[in-house]
Structures are given as structure tokens and as C-alpha cells.
Amino acid sequence: MDDPGLAKLPTENQILLRLSGAREQLTILRESLRAHRPALAEAAAAAVVDQLLKALTAALHGFNLLLPQPLPADRVSWRNLRARFVAVAVDSAIVNLLEESLRPRTGWLWWLDRKEHASAFAPLLQIDAETGSAAIWRDPMDPTLGFEELPPTEYLGHVLDRVEALTRDIARLARRDAEVFRHAARRQPGRML
């Protein structure tokens, strides 16, 4: 379970814990769909999404901890990290990578975030009571957008793989980005870093 790439981040254990939790919830989702237990399936789908986004937040926090004067944990977000890099007039490979994935209506991570937000207000899954077939809403708050192309377990398994790859990319780029930030911050007038 140890990932040498993630070892570059101080939050490695938390990332691995969340990814492991997502895998376990995905197994519960498969079993509950097979056993025709829609309430458990819905809870497991929501838990997978939640754990995946928490794994990403943990990776971002690990990156944040490598920066001088890190943000408090409750303020860590890609937007706040982007603002820090903008303030010292330098690009972040990590922020750029996230922005691509979070592009509204096209980025895969944007759709995942929509699912997490909507899961408090609307079901993620549409389960046919007679056949037991299931689909995952593209945006549960806007059913006119329809369903994801893949069945729920395949879709969430695919997203789990993408989140895992993204956390490895964050770990791989974190030290370089932190050094770029530190160097740019030193050049800012009135800064002492």
C-alpha cells in the first residue's frame, strides 16, 4: 500500500487512508447493488465520492505544508493555493493541473465535485426497483444532464484511478513547485523568506 511517490508529501498516510476507504466503499457499493439494497448503495456511492475528494484535499494540504508560511488546514483549497502563487507572480504546475481537471462542465474533477455537493440534496444513483439496474447522475441537482456513460461501479472505479494518479502527480510536482514559490517570494519587495 505504500506509494514511494506519495512519500514526498507529509500527508502521505492520510492520502492512503482515504484512497483505501474509497476502495472499501466501492466494494460495498458493488455488493449492495448485487443484493438490491438501494439505501446502502446510495450511502456507499456518496462515501466513495467523499473519500476521493478528501484524498485530494490531503494531497493539497501536503503540498501546502511544503510552502513557506503554509495556510491553515481549513483554508487549503486549489483556489487559495492559486492565489498564493499569483501573489508572487509565478505559475504552479500543480495548480495548472488542477485547473484543467476543474474546468466547469468539462473537467472530470468538476463533475465529481458537483456530485459531492449535490449528494446532500439529491440521490447520486438512479436504481430501477424492478430490474435492479443502476446509473449515476451526471449532476444530481440537474437531472436534465442525464447519467454518466459508465455504470456506477465502473465510473467510480475509473475516477478512483484518476484521483490516485492525480495525488501521485501532486506528490511528484510538490517540491519543485515549492522551490519555485520560495525563489519567487524572495524576489518580492518587502518579503522576508
Side-chain angles (χ1 to χ4, degrees):
M1 179 145 202
D2 290 334
D3 186 328
L6 292 178
K8 297 175 184 172
L9 292 176
T11 54
E12 172 200 14
N13 289 338
Q14 191 63 15
I15 296 165
L16 294 173
L17 180 65
R18 296 301 173 196
L19 291 172
S20 179
R23 277 189 206 86
E24 289 196 25
Q25 291 298 323
L26 190 54
T27 299
I28 292 169
L29 174 59
R30 276 190 198 97
E31 292 168 0
S32 59
L33 287 172
R34 212 170 306 141
H36 303 287
R37 299 184 64 194
L40 184 56
E42 179 66 30
V48 171
V49 171
D50 178 68
Q51 292 298 294
L52 291 177
L53 290 176
K54 282 189 168 125
L56 279 176
T57 300
L60 288 179
H61 184 50
F63 170 46
N64 171 60
L65 291 173
L66 298 176
L67 298 174
Q69 301 171 343
L71 295 168
D74 63 342
R75 295 212 43 243
V76 172
S77 70
W78 74 273
R79 282 184 181 94
N80 288 341
L81 289 169
R82 178 181 61 186
R84 292 203 67 199
F85 277 82
V86 167
V88 295
V90 70
D91 271 345
S92 161
I94 291 171
V95 170
N96 292 340
L97 187 64
L98 286 168
E99 282 182 344
E100 181 67 28
S101 301
L102 285 163
R103 188 162 285 139
R105 297 196 167 270
T106 60
W108 66 270
L109 193 50
W110 186 85
W111 288 108
L112 188 66
D113 192 51
R114 293 290 304 157
K115 286 173 183 54
E116 194 277 330
H117 173 73
S119 67
F121 309 104
L124 293 174
L125 302 176
Q126 172 70 34
I127 301 174
D128 186 306
E130 291 180 20
T131 65
S133 65
I136 190 163
W137 291 104
R138 190 156 173 99
D139 180 347
M141 295 297 287
D142 186 357
T144 64
L145 295 173
F147 302 103
E148 296 292 347
E149 291 180 15
L150 297 173
T153 54
E154 287 181 47
Y155 169 79
L156 290 172
H158 177 68
V159 172
L160 191 151
D161 292 342
R162 290 183 95 165
V163 167
E164 200 166 27
L166 186 53
T167 60
R168 278 194 302 273
D169 287 343
I170 290 169
R172 180 177 51 81
L173 298 168
R175 295 209 184 270
R176 181 194 138 313
D177 269 13
E179 187 52 42
V180 166
F181 179 90
R182 218 176 263 106
H183 181 70
R186 283 188 199 114
R187 291 181 307 189
Q188 298 296 311
R191 295 244 181 192
M192 304 250 325
L193 293 178

